[in-house]
Coordinates of all heavy atoms in Angstrom, one line a residue:
L7 N 25.6 -72.5 -9.0 CA 26.2 -73.5 -9.8 C 27.5 -73.0 -10.4 O 27.6 -71.8 -10.9 CB 25.3 -73.9 -10.9 CG 24.0 -74.6 -10.6 CD1 23.2 -74.8 -11.9 CD2 24.2 -75.9 -9.9
R8 N 28.5 -73.8 -10.5 CA 29.8 -73.5 -11.2 C 30.0 -74.6 -12.2 O 30.1 -75.8 -11.8 CB 30.9 -73.4 -10.2 CG 30.8 -72.1 -9.3 CD 31.9 -72.0 -8.2 NE 33.2 -72.3 -8.6 CZ 34.1 -71.5 -9.2 NH1 33.7 -70.2 -9.4 NH2 35.3 -71.8 -9.5
L9 N 29.9 -74.2 -13.5 CA 29.9 -75.2 -14.6 C 30.9 -74.8 -15.7 O 31.3 -73.7 -15.7 CB 28.5 -75.2 -15.2 CG 27.3 -75.4 -14.3 CD1 26.0 -75.2 -15.1 CD2 27.3 -76.8 -13.7
S10 N 31.2 -75.8 -16.5 CA 32.0 -75.6 -17.7 C 31.5 -76.6 -18.7 O 30.7 -77.4 -18.4 CB 33.5 -75.7 -17.4 OG 33.8 -77.0 -17.0
G11 N 32.1 -76.5 -19.9 CA 31.6 -77.4 -21.0 C 32.6 -77.7 -22.0 O 33.6 -76.9 -22.2
D12 N 32.3 -78.7 -22.8 CA 33.0 -79.0 -24.1 C 32.2 -78.4 -25.2 O 31.0 -78.7 -25.2 CB 33.2 -80.5 -24.3 CG 34.1 -81.2 -23.3 OD1 35.1 -80.5 -22.8 OD2 34.0 -82.4 -23.1
H13 N 32.8 -77.6 -26.0 CA 32.0 -76.8 -27.0 C 32.1 -77.3 -28.4 O 32.4 -76.6 -29.4 CB 32.6 -75.4 -27.0 CG 32.3 -74.7 -25.7 ND1 31.7 -73.4 -25.7 CD2 32.5 -75.0 -24.4 CE1 31.6 -73.0 -24.4 NE2 32.0 -74.0 -23.6
Y14 N 31.8 -78.6 -28.6 CA 31.8 -79.2 -29.9 C 30.6 -78.6 -30.7 O 29.5 -78.7 -30.3 CB 31.7 -80.7 -29.9 CG 31.3 -81.3 -31.2 CD1 32.2 -81.2 -32.3 CD2 30.1 -81.9 -31.4 CE1 31.9 -81.7 -33.5 CE2 29.8 -82.4 -32.6 CZ 30.6 -82.3 -33.7 OH 30.3 -82.8 -34.9
D15 N 30.8 -77.9 -31.8 CA 29.8 -77.4 -32.7 C 28.8 -76.5 -31.9 O 27.6 -76.6 -32.2 CB 29.1 -78.6 -33.4 CG 28.3 -78.1 -34.6 OD1 28.7 -77.1 -35.2 OD2 27.3 -78.8 -34.9
G16 N 29.3 -75.7 -31.0 CA 28.5 -74.8 -30.2 C 28.6 -75.0 -28.7 O 29.1 -76.1 -28.3
A17 N 28.2 -74.0 -28.0 CA 28.3 -74.1 -26.5 C 27.1 -74.9 -25.9 O 26.0 -75.0 -26.5 CB 28.2 -72.7 -25.9
P18 N 27.4 -75.6 -24.8 CA 26.4 -76.4 -24.2 C 25.3 -75.5 -23.5 O 25.6 -74.4 -23.1 CB 27.1 -77.2 -23.1 CG 28.5 -76.9 -23.2 CD 28.7 -75.8 -24.2
E19 N 24.1 -76.0 -23.6 CA 23.0 -75.2 -22.9 C 22.2 -76.2 -22.0 O 22.2 -77.4 -22.2 CB 22.0 -74.7 -24.0 CG 22.7 -73.8 -25.0 CD 21.7 -73.3 -26.1 OE1 20.5 -73.6 -26.0 OE2 22.2 -72.7 -27.1
F20 N 21.6 -75.6 -21.0 CA 20.9 -76.4 -20.0 C 19.7 -75.7 -19.4 O 19.6 -74.5 -19.5 CB 21.8 -76.8 -18.9 CG 22.2 -75.7 -17.9 CD1 21.6 -75.5 -16.7 CD2 23.3 -74.9 -18.2 CE1 21.9 -74.5 -15.9 CE2 23.7 -73.9 -17.4 CZ 23.0 -73.7 -16.2
S21 N 18.8 -76.5 -18.8 CA 17.7 -76.0 -18.0 C 18.0 -76.4 -16.6 O 18.4 -77.5 -16.3 CB 16.4 -76.5 -18.5 OG 16.0 -76.1 -19.7
L22 N 17.6 -75.6 -15.6 CA 17.7 -75.9 -14.2 C 16.3 -76.3 -13.7 O 15.3 -75.5 -14.0 CB 18.2 -74.8 -13.4 CG 18.3 -75.1 -11.9 CD1 19.5 -76.1 -11.6 CD2 18.5 -73.9 -11.1
M23 N 16.2 -77.5 -13.1 CA 14.9 -77.9 -12.7 C 14.9 -78.3 -11.2 O 16.0 -78.8 -10.7 CB 14.4 -79.2 -13.5 CG 14.4 -78.9 -15.0 SD 14.1 -80.3 -16.0 CE 12.5 -80.7 -15.6
V24 N 13.8 -78.1 -10.5 CA 13.7 -78.6 -9.1 C 12.4 -79.4 -9.1 O 11.3 -78.9 -9.4 CB 13.6 -77.4 -8.1 CG1 13.3 -77.9 -6.7 CG2 15.0 -76.6 -8.1
D25 N 12.5 -80.6 -8.7 CA 11.4 -81.6 -8.6 C 10.6 -81.6 -9.9 O 9.3 -81.6 -9.9 CB 10.5 -81.2 -7.4 CG 11.1 -81.5 -6.1 OD1 12.0 -82.4 -6.1 OD2 10.8 -80.9 -5.1
G26 N 11.3 -81.5 -11.1 CA 10.6 -81.6 -12.4 C 10.1 -80.3 -12.9 O 9.6 -80.3 -14.0
K27 N 10.2 -79.2 -12.1 CA 9.7 -77.9 -12.6 C 10.9 -77.1 -13.1 O 11.9 -76.9 -12.4 CB 9.0 -77.2 -11.4 CG 8.5 -75.8 -11.8 CD 7.8 -75.2 -10.6 CE 7.4 -73.7 -11.0 NZ 7.0 -73.0 -9.8
I28 N 10.7 -76.5 -14.3 CA 11.8 -75.7 -14.8 C 11.9 -74.4 -14.0 O 10.9 -73.7 -13.9 CB 11.6 -75.4 -16.3 CG1 11.8 -76.7 -17.1 CG2 12.7 -74.4 -16.8 CD1 11.5 -76.6 -18.6
I29 N 13.1 -74.1 -13.5 CA 13.3 -72.9 -12.8 C 13.8 -71.8 -13.8 O 13.4 -70.7 -13.7 CB 14.3 -73.0 -11.6 CG1 13.9 -74.1 -10.6 CG2 14.7 -71.7 -10.9 CD1 12.5 -73.8 -10.0
Q30 N 14.7 -72.2 -14.6 CA 15.2 -71.4 -15.7 C 15.7 -72.2 -16.9 O 16.5 -73.1 -16.7 CB 16.3 -70.4 -15.3 CG 16.6 -69.4 -16.3 CD 17.5 -68.3 -15.8 OE1 17.4 -67.9 -14.6 NE2 18.2 -67.7 -16.7
A31 N 15.2 -71.9 -18.1 CA 15.6 -72.6 -19.3 C 16.6 -71.8 -20.1 O 16.8 -70.6 -19.8 CB 14.4 -72.9 -20.1
E32 N 17.2 -72.4 -21.1 CA 18.1 -71.7 -22.1 C 19.3 -71.0 -21.4 O 19.5 -69.8 -21.8 CB 17.2 -70.8 -22.9 CG 16.1 -71.5 -23.7 CD 15.3 -70.5 -24.5 OE1 15.8 -69.5 -24.9 OE2 14.2 -70.9 -24.9
N33 N 20.0 -71.7 -20.6 CA 21.2 -71.2 -20.0 C 22.4 -71.6 -20.9 O 22.5 -72.8 -21.2 CB 21.4 -71.7 -18.6 CG 20.2 -71.3 -17.7 OD1 20.1 -70.1 -17.3 ND2 19.3 -72.2 -17.5
V34 N 23.3 -70.7 -21.3 CA 24.4 -71.1 -22.2 C 25.7 -71.0 -21.4 O 25.9 -70.1 -20.7 CB 24.5 -70.1 -23.4 CG1 25.7 -70.4 -24.3 CG2 23.2 -70.1 -24.2
I35 N 26.5 -72.1 -21.5 CA 27.7 -72.2 -20.8 C 28.8 -71.7 -21.7 O 29.2 -72.4 -22.7 CB 28.0 -73.6 -20.3 CG1 26.9 -74.1 -19.4 CG2 29.4 -73.7 -19.6 CD1 27.0 -75.6 -19.0
Q36 N 29.4 -70.6 -21.4 CA 30.5 -70.0 -22.2 C 31.9 -70.6 -21.8 O 32.8 -70.6 -22.5 CB 30.5 -68.5 -22.1 CG 29.3 -67.9 -22.7 CD 29.0 -68.2 -24.1 OE1 29.9 -68.3 -24.9 NE2 27.7 -68.2 -24.5
A37 N 32.0 -71.0 -20.5 CA 33.3 -71.5 -20.0 C 33.7 -72.8 -20.6 O 32.9 -73.7 -20.7 CB 33.2 -71.7 -18.4
D38 N 35.0 -72.8 -21.1 CA 35.5 -74.0 -21.8 C 36.3 -74.9 -20.8 O 37.3 -74.4 -20.3 CB 36.4 -73.5 -22.9 CG 36.7 -74.6 -23.9 OD1 37.0 -75.7 -23.5 OD2 36.8 -74.3 -25.1
E39 N 35.9 -76.1 -20.7 CA 36.5 -77.0 -19.8 C 38.0 -77.2 -20.2 O 38.9 -77.3 -19.3 CB 35.8 -78.4 -19.8 CG 36.5 -79.5 -19.0 CD 36.4 -79.3 -17.5 OE1 35.6 -78.4 -17.0 OE2 37.2 -80.0 -16.8
K40 N 38.3 -77.3 -21.5 CA 39.6 -77.6 -21.9 C 40.6 -76.4 -21.6 O 41.8 -76.6 -21.5 CB 39.6 -77.8 -23.4 CG 39.0 -79.1 -23.8 CD 39.0 -79.3 -25.3 CE 38.3 -80.7 -25.7 NZ 36.9 -80.6 -26.0
L41 N 40.1 -75.2 -21.4 CA 40.9 -74.1 -21.1 C 40.9 -73.8 -19.6 O 41.5 -72.8 -19.1 CB 40.3 -72.8 -21.8 CG 40.3 -72.9 -23.3 CD1 39.7 -71.6 -23.9 CD2 41.8 -73.1 -23.9
G42 N 40.3 -74.7 -18.8 CA 40.3 -74.5 -17.3 C 39.3 -73.5 -16.8 O 39.5 -73.0 -15.7
Q43 N 38.4 -73.1 -17.6 CA 37.5 -72.0 -17.3 C 36.3 -72.6 -16.5 O 35.9 -73.7 -16.7 CB 36.9 -71.3 -18.5 CG 38.0 -70.6 -19.3 CD 37.5 -70.1 -20.7 OE1 36.5 -70.6 -21.2 NE2 38.2 -69.2 -21.2
V44 N 35.7 -71.8 -15.6 CA 34.5 -72.1 -14.9 C 33.6 -70.9 -14.9 O 34.0 -69.8 -14.7 CB 34.8 -72.6 -13.4 CG1 33.5 -72.9 -12.7 CG2 35.7 -73.8 -13.4
Q45 N 32.3 -71.2 -15.1 CA 31.3 -70.1 -15.1 C 30.3 -70.3 -13.9 O 29.8 -71.4 -13.7 CB 30.6 -70.1 -16.4 CG 29.6 -69.0 -16.7 CD 29.0 -69.0 -18.1 OE1 29.5 -69.8 -18.9 NE2 27.9 -68.3 -18.3
E46 N 30.0 -69.2 -13.3 CA 29.0 -69.2 -12.2 C 27.6 -68.8 -12.6 O 27.5 -67.8 -13.4 CB 29.5 -68.3 -11.1 CG 28.7 -68.3 -9.8 CD 29.2 -67.6 -8.7 OE1 30.4 -67.9 -8.3 OE2 28.6 -66.7 -8.2
F47 N 26.6 -69.6 -12.2 CA 25.2 -69.3 -12.4 C 24.5 -69.2 -11.1 O 24.8 -70.0 -10.2 CB 24.6 -70.4 -13.3 CG 25.1 -70.5 -14.6 CD1 26.2 -71.3 -14.9 CD2 24.5 -69.9 -15.7 CE1 26.7 -71.5 -16.2 CE2 24.9 -70.1 -17.0 CZ 26.1 -70.8 -17.2
R48 N 23.7 -68.2 -11.0 CA 22.8 -68.0 -9.7 C 21.4 -68.0 -10.1 O 21.0 -67.4 -11.1 CB 23.2 -66.7 -9.0 CG 24.6 -66.8 -8.4 CD 24.9 -65.4 -7.7 NE 26.2 -65.5 -7.2 CZ 26.5 -65.6 -5.9 NH1 25.5 -65.6 -5.0 NH2 27.7 -65.6 -5.5
F49 N 20.6 -68.7 -9.4 CA 19.1 -68.8 -9.7 C 18.3 -68.6 -8.4 O 18.7 -68.9 -7.3 CB 18.8 -70.3 -10.2 CG 19.6 -70.6 -11.4 CD1 20.7 -71.3 -11.3 CD2 19.1 -70.3 -12.6 CE1 21.4 -71.7 -12.5 CE2 19.8 -70.6 -13.8 CZ 21.0 -71.3 -13.7
R50 N 17.1 -68.0 -8.6 CA 16.2 -67.9 -7.6 C 14.9 -68.6 -8.1 O 14.6 -68.6 -9.2 CB 15.9 -66.4 -7.3 CG 17.0 -65.7 -6.7 CD 16.6 -64.3 -6.3 NE 17.8 -63.5 -5.9 CZ 18.2 -63.5 -4.6 NH1 17.6 -64.2 -3.7 NH2 19.2 -62.8 -4.3
G51 N 14.1 -69.1 -7.1 CA 12.9 -69.8 -7.5 C 11.9 -69.9 -6.3 O 12.3 -69.6 -5.2
S52 N 10.7 -70.2 -6.6 CA 9.7 -70.4 -5.6 C 9.6 -71.8 -5.2 O 8.6 -72.5 -5.6 CB 8.3 -69.8 -6.1 OG 8.0 -70.5 -7.3
F53 N 10.5 -72.3 -4.5 CA 10.5 -73.7 -4.0 C 11.2 -73.7 -2.6 O 11.9 -72.8 -2.2 CB 11.3 -74.6 -4.9 CG 12.7 -74.1 -5.2 CD1 13.8 -74.5 -4.4 CD2 12.9 -73.3 -6.4 CE1 15.0 -74.0 -4.7 CE2 14.2 -72.9 -6.7 CZ 15.3 -73.2 -5.8
S54 N 10.8 -74.7 -1.8 CA 11.3 -74.7 -0.4 C 12.4 -75.8 -0.3 O 12.3 -76.9 -0.8 CB 10.2 -75.2 0.5 OG 10.7 -75.5 1.8
L55 N 13.5 -75.4 0.3 CA 14.6 -76.3 0.5 C 14.2 -77.4 1.5 O 14.8 -78.5 1.5 CB 15.9 -75.6 1.0 CG 16.5 -74.6 0.0 CD1 17.6 -73.9 0.6 CD2 16.9 -75.3 -1.3
D56 N 13.2 -77.2 2.3 CA 12.7 -78.2 3.2 C 11.9 -79.3 2.5 O 11.9 -80.4 3.0 CB 11.8 -77.6 4.3 CG 12.6 -76.6 5.1 OD1 13.8 -76.8 5.4 OD2 12.0 -75.6 5.6
T57 N 11.3 -79.0 1.4 CA 10.5 -80.0 0.7 C 11.0 -80.4 -0.7 O 10.6 -81.4 -1.2 CB 9.0 -79.4 0.5 OG1 9.1 -78.2 -0.3 CG2 8.4 -79.2 1.8
A58 N 11.9 -79.7 -1.3 CA 12.5 -80.0 -2.6 C 13.3 -81.3 -2.4 O 14.1 -81.5 -1.5 CB 13.4 -78.9 -3.1
K59 N 13.1 -82.2 -3.4 CA 13.7 -83.5 -3.4 C 14.8 -83.7 -4.4 O 15.7 -84.5 -4.2 CB 12.7 -84.6 -3.6 CG 11.5 -84.6 -2.6 CD 11.9 -85.4 -1.4 CE 10.7 -85.5 -0.5 NZ 10.7 -84.7 0.7
R60 N 14.7 -83.0 -5.5 CA 15.6 -83.3 -6.6 C 16.0 -82.0 -7.4 O 15.1 -81.3 -7.9 CB 15.1 -84.3 -7.6 CG 16.0 -84.7 -8.7 CD 15.6 -85.9 -9.4 NE 14.3 -85.7 -10.0 CZ 13.7 -86.6 -10.8 NH1 14.3 -87.7 -11.1 NH2 12.6 -86.3 -11.4
L61 N 17.2 -81.8 -7.6 CA 17.8 -80.7 -8.4 C 18.3 -81.3 -9.7 O 19.1 -82.3 -9.6 CB 18.9 -79.9 -7.7 CG 19.6 -78.9 -8.5 CD1 18.8 -77.6 -8.6 CD2 20.9 -78.5 -7.8
Q62 N 17.9 -80.8 -10.9 CA 18.4 -81.4 -12.1 C 19.0 -80.3 -13.0 O 18.5 -79.2 -13.1 CB 17.3 -82.0 -12.9 CG 16.7 -83.2 -12.3 CD 15.5 -83.6 -13.1 OE1 14.4 -83.2 -12.8 NE2 15.7 -84.4 -14.2
I63 N 20.2 -80.6 -13.6 CA 20.8 -79.8 -14.6 C 20.6 -80.6 -15.9 O 21.3 -81.6 -16.1 CB 22.3 -79.5 -14.3 CG1 22.4 -78.8 -13.0 CG2 22.9 -78.7 -15.4 CD1 23.8 -78.8 -12.4
Q64 N 19.6 -80.2 -16.7 CA 19.3 -80.9 -17.9 C 19.9 -80.3 -19.1 O 19.5 -79.2 -19.5 CB 17.8 -81.0 -18.0 CG 17.3 -81.9 -19.2 CD 15.8 -82.1 -19.2 OE1 15.1 -81.3 -18.6 NE2 15.4 -83.2 -19.8
M65 N 20.8 -81.0 -19.8 CA 21.4 -80.5 -21.0 C 20.3 -80.5 -22.1 O 19.6 -81.5 -22.3 CB 22.6 -81.4 -21.4 CG 23.3 -80.8 -22.6 SD 24.8 -81.9 -22.8 CE 25.9 -80.7 -23.7
T66 N 20.2 -79.4 -22.8 CA 19.1 -79.3 -23.8 C 19.6 -79.3 -25.3 O 18.8 -79.3 -26.2 CB 18.4 -78.0 -23.6 OG1 19.3 -76.9 -23.6 CG2 17.6 -78.0 -22.3
N67 N 21.0 -79.4 -25.5 CA 21.5 -79.4 -26.8 C 22.7 -80.4 -27.0 O 23.7 -80.0 -27.6 CB 21.8 -78.0 -27.3 CG 23.0 -77.4 -26.6 OD1 23.3 -77.8 -25.5 ND2 23.7 -76.5 -27.2
D68 N 22.6 -81.6 -26.5 CA 23.7 -82.5 -26.5 C 24.1 -82.8 -28.0 O 23.2 -82.7 -28.9 CB 23.3 -83.8 -25.9 CG 24.4 -84.7 -25.5 OD1 25.6 -84.3 -25.6 OD2 24.2 -85.9 -25.2
A69 N 25.3 -83.0 -28.2 CA 25.8 -83.3 -29.6 C 27.0 -84.3 -29.5 O 27.8 -84.2 -28.6 CB 26.2 -82.0 -30.3
W70 N 27.0 -85.1 -30.5 CA 28.1 -86.1 -30.6 C 28.5 -86.2 -32.1 O 27.7 -86.5 -33.0 CB 27.6 -87.5 -30.1 CG 28.4 -88.7 -30.4 CD1 28.2 -89.6 -31.3 CD2 29.7 -89.0 -29.8 NE1 29.2 -90.6 -31.3 CE2 30.1 -90.2 -30.4 CE3 30.4 -88.5 -28.8 CZ2 31.3 -90.9 -30.0 CZ3 31.6 -89.1 -28.4 CH2 32.0 -90.3 -29.0
G71 N 29.8 -86.1 -32.4 CA 30.3 -86.2 -33.7 C 31.0 -87.4 -34.0 O 31.7 -87.5 -35.0
G72 N 30.9 -88.5 -33.2 CA 31.5 -89.8 -33.4 C 32.8 -90.0 -32.8 O 33.3 -91.1 -32.9
S73 N 33.4 -89.1 -32.0 CA 34.6 -89.3 -31.3 C 34.7 -88.4 -30.1 O 33.9 -87.5 -29.9 CB 35.8 -89.0 -32.2 OG 35.9 -87.6 -32.5
K74 N 35.6 -88.8 -29.2 CA 35.7 -88.0 -27.9 C 35.9 -86.5 -28.1 O 35.4 -85.7 -27.3 CB 36.8 -88.7 -27.0 CG 36.9 -88.1 -25.7 CD 37.9 -88.8 -24.8 CE 38.0 -88.1 -23.5 NZ 38.9 -88.8 -22.6
D75 N 36.7 -86.2 -29.1 CA 37.0 -84.7 -29.3 C 35.9 -84.0 -30.0 O 36.0 -82.8 -30.2 CB 38.3 -84.5 -30.0 CG 38.4 -85.1 -31.4 OD1 37.6 -86.1 -31.7 OD2 39.1 -84.6 -32.2
K76 N 34.8 -84.7 -30.4 CA 33.7 -84.1 -31.1 C 32.4 -84.5 -30.2 O 31.5 -85.1 -30.7 CB 33.5 -84.7 -32.5 CG 34.7 -84.2 -33.4 CD 34.5 -84.7 -34.8 CE 35.6 -84.3 -35.7 NZ 35.5 -84.8 -37.0
D77 N 32.4 -84.0 -29.0 CA 31.4 -84.3 -28.0 C 31.1 -83.1 -27.2 O 32.0 -82.5 -26.7 CB 31.8 -85.5 -27.1 CG 30.7 -86.1 -26.3 OD1 29.5 -85.7 -26.5 OD2 31.0 -86.9 -25.4
R78 N 29.8 -82.7 -27.1 CA 29.4 -81.6 -26.3 C 29.0 -82.1 -24.9 O 28.2 -83.0 -24.8 CB 28.3 -80.8 -26.9 CG 27.9 -79.5 -26.2 CD 26.8 -78.8 -26.9 NE 27.1 -78.5 -28.3 CZ 26.2 -78.5 -29.3 NH1 25.0 -78.9 -29.0 NH2 26.6 -78.2 -30.5
N79 N 29.6 -81.6 -23.9 CA 29.4 -82.0 -22.5 C 29.3 -80.8 -21.5 O 29.7 -79.8 -21.8 CB 30.6 -82.9 -22.0 CG 30.7 -84.1 -22.8 OD1 29.9 -85.0 -22.8 ND2 31.8 -84.3 -23.5
I80 N 28.7 -81.1 -20.4 CA 28.6 -80.2 -19.2 C 29.3 -80.8 -18.1 O 29.2 -82.0 -17.8 CB 27.2 -79.9 -18.8 CG1 26.5 -79.1 -20.0 CG2 27.1 -79.1 -17.5 CD1 25.0 -78.9 -19.7
Y81 N 30.2 -80.0 -17.4 CA 30.9 -80.4 -16.2 C 30.4 -79.6 -15.0 O 30.4 -78.4 -15.1 CB 32.4 -80.2 -16.4 CG 33.0 -81.0 -17.5 CD1 33.0 -80.5 -18.8 CD2 33.4 -82.3 -17.3 CE1 33.5 -81.3 -19.8 CE2 33.9 -83.1 -18.3 CZ 34.0 -82.5 -19.6 OH 34.5 -83.3 -20.6
V82 N 30.0 -80.3 -14.0 CA 29.5 -79.6 -12.7 C 30.7 -79.6 -11.8 O 31.1 -80.6 -11.3 CB 28.3 -80.3 -12.1 CG1 27.8 -79.7 -10.9 CG2 27.2 -80.5 -13.1
H83 N 31.1 -78.3 -11.4 CA 32.2 -78.2 -10.5 C 31.7 -77.9 -9.1 O 32.4 -78.3 -8.1 CB 33.1 -77.0 -11.0 CG 33.8 -77.2 -12.3 ND1 35.0 -77.7 -12.4 CD2 33.4 -77.0 -13.5 CE1 35.4 -77.9 -13.6 NE2 34.4 -77.4 -14.4
E84 N 30.6 -77.3 -8.9 CA 30.1 -77.0 -7.6 C 28.6 -76.7 -7.6 O 28.1 -76.1 -8.6 CB 30.8 -75.8 -7.0 CG 30.4 -75.4 -5.6 CD 31.2 -74.2 -5.1 OE1 31.9 -73.5 -5.8 OE2 30.9 -73.8 -3.9
V85 N 27.9 -77.1 -6.6 CA 26.5 -76.8 -6.4 C 26.4 -76.3 -5.0 O 26.8 -76.9 -4.0 CB 25.6 -78.0 -6.5 CG1 24.1 -77.7 -6.2 CG2 25.6 -78.6 -7.9
A86 N 25.9 -75.0 -4.8 CA 25.7 -74.4 -3.5 C 24.3 -74.0 -3.4 O 23.7 -73.4 -4.3 CB 26.6 -73.2 -3.3
I87 N 23.6 -74.3 -2.3 CA 22.2 -74.0 -2.1 C 22.1 -73.0 -0.9 O 22.7 -73.3 0.2 CB 21.4 -75.2 -1.9 CG1 21.4 -76.1 -3.1 CG2 19.9 -74.9 -1.5 CD1 20.8 -77.5 -3.0
N88 N 21.5 -71.9 -1.1 CA 21.4 -70.9 -0.1 C 22.8 -70.4 0.3 O 23.0 -70.0 1.4 CB 20.7 -71.4 1.2 CG 19.2 -70.9 1.2 OD1 18.8 -70.2 0.3 ND2 18.5 -71.3 2.2
G89 N 23.7 -70.3 -0.7 CA 25.0 -69.9 -0.4 C 25.6 -68.9 -1.2 O 25.6 -68.2 -2.0

């Protein structure tokens, strides 16, 4: 995964899930979208690409301060499987 985020009141965090099962929780995105940064994450898990139906990047600490410049977000730049 290649991700970045908006860091309103802290860095975005996420869990990676495959078919509803958490592969890894508590991942912190340090890359700042506004600065053009991208961060790479690599994961391994006990799941089959032949049978897996859904990959989820679930934000675990969303925040909103009432305006666009006070919003914590995650941006997905790339997803590569077996790559």
Side-chain angles (χ1 to χ4, degrees):
L7 296 174
R8 291 174 43 86
L9 309 172
S10 63
D12 290 332
H13 292 231
Y14 166 67
D15 197 28
E19 299 177 10
F20 71 96
S21 294
L22 179 74
M23 302 171 71
V24 174
D25 291 335
K27 179 183 175 188
I28 294 176
I29 302 302
Q30 187 167 334
E32 300 181 20
N33 301 284
V34 179
I35 301 172
Q36 300 298 331
D38 191 323
E39 174 71 15
K40 291 180 179 94
L41 299 176
Q43 300 170 336
V44 178
Q45 184 175 349
E46 185 171 299
F47 294 86
R48 293 179 180 252
F49 300 95
R50 294 185 184 273
S52 58
F53 52 88
S54 169
L55 295 177
D56 295 328
T57 59
K59 302 276 190 254
R60 183 169 59 177
L61 172 77
Q62 291 175 268
I63 300 166
Q64 183 174 23
M65 187 175 205
T66 56
N67 69 336
D68 197 14
W70 167 254
S73 65
K74 185 176 179 176
D75 64 330
K76 294 180 179 179
D77 190 11
R78 187 180 301 143
N79 297 296
I80 292 176
Y81 298 90
V82 179
H83 294 267
E84 180 180 6
V85 176
I87 299 174
N88 260 0

